[in-house]
Amino acid sequence: MEKTPSYFVTREAPARISAMSRDTKLIVVVRDPVTRVISDYTQTLSKKPDIPSFESLTFKNRTTGLIDTSWSAIQIGIYAKHLDNWLQYFPMDQILFVSGERLISDPAGELGRVQDFLGLKRIITDKHFYFNQTKGFPCLKKAEGSSKPHCLGKTKGRTHPNINPEVVQRLRDFYRPFNMKFYQMTGRFFGWDD
């Protein structure tokens, strides 16, 4: 088992993993690309407070509303493009896309899909989680081998900066066709365009 967020967007990764094992099962957690890009910016901002504004990074030209696709944070959310690359090496039935939103709203249900995909008995249920109001995320009631609950680390659940609603809408419009293609490719509607 290996966990690395950048694999899905790294051009060379599918060929390398396929060369290692063509039978590999891949699990990719995805979330609304607009929320994802804002979260990416928030994380960078926490490390480098002097970076340019979200708006200035988002647009090549603010007047025309042209999105700057050279910004890696924008690129990452074009899931259909990345999936195209993976499908050259792995069939769709070896790839499971997990909804980041459902991991928060229904962690046991989404992890049930993971257990099914891996051919495992469903042992993780709602009773294993509680909702941490401070974090805004579900947490494990008791981590394996520990007597204490386990929650996501300090870097998760940061408050996002307020982004101009027009900028958010422009990003929604930008991602919509890519999202529609992704839904079609995966056979799953994630509901990011509501």
Side-chain angles (χ1 to χ4, degrees):
M1 184 184 281
E2 169 73 26
K3 174 197 162 278
T4 305
S6 64
Y7 280 172
F8 185 59
V9 300
T10 302
R11 186 135 197 82
E12 304 79 23
R16 289 179 184 163
I17 294 170
S18 176
M20 191 176 65
S21 172
R22 290 181 162 273
D23 299 325
T24 300
K25 287 191 172 190
L26 305 159
I27 301 171
V28 183
V29 179
V30 292
R31 65 191 291 200
D32 177 341
V34 175
T35 307
R36 206 217 62 71
V37 73
I38 294 168
S39 181
D40 190 302
Y41 177 79
T42 304
Q43 183 173 345
T44 304
L45 187 62
S46 74
K47 295 173 186 171
K48 300 177 187 171
D50 58 341
I51 62 168
S53 72
F54 180 83
E55 198 170 303
S56 66
L57 290 168
T58 300
F59 296 104
K60 260 188 187 165
N61 182 323
R62 180 65 178 108
T63 309
T64 63
L66 184 65
I67 301 292
D68 187 352
T69 56
S70 69
W71 184 26
S72 63
I74 297 283
Q75 276 288 323
I76 292 168
I78 306 174
Y79 302 133
K81 178 184 110 178
H82 306 302
L83 180 53
D84 267 337
N85 189 31
W86 283 88
L87 290 175
Q88 293 175 43
Y89 299 91
F90 293 94
M92 196 60 213
D93 65 357
Q94 284 178 231
I95 308 172
L96 177 69
F97 287 93
V98 173
S99 165
E101 289 81 13
R102 284 205 59 220
L103 274 177
I104 294 168
S105 67
D106 180 20
E110 203 63 3
L111 288 174
R113 291 181 66 246
V114 171
Q115 292 169 100
D116 292 347
F117 174 71
L118 296 174
L120 302 172
K121 180 181 170 190
R122 282 194 178 206
I123 58 168
I124 300 170
T125 65
D126 286 330
K127 72 178 184 189
H128 291 96
F129 297 94
Y130 74 95
F131 191 81
N132 182 311
Q133 295 292 343
T134 307
K135 281 281 200 194
F137 287 102
C139 301
L140 283 172
K141 284 186 179 170
K142 185 178 159 190
E144 191 69 35
S146 170
S147 59
K148 291 190 250 173
H150 179 73
C151 250
L152 294 171
K154 292 179 200 161
T155 63
K156 303 296 179 192
R158 285 189 194 101
T159 303
H160 291 174
N162 289 325
I163 305 296
N164 180 327
E166 289 174 21
V167 174
V168 171
Q169 187 56 54
R170 183 62 198 99
L171 282 167
R172 292 223 172 279
D173 295 343
F174 168 78
Y175 281 116
R176 186 170 292 109
F178 299 110
N179 291 346
M180 293 302 158
K181 182 178 179 195
F182 183 67
Y183 299 162
Q184 195 174 30
M185 294 169 82
T186 61
R188 185 167 184 198
F189 178 74
F190 289 87
W192 299 322
D193 303 294
D194 298 344

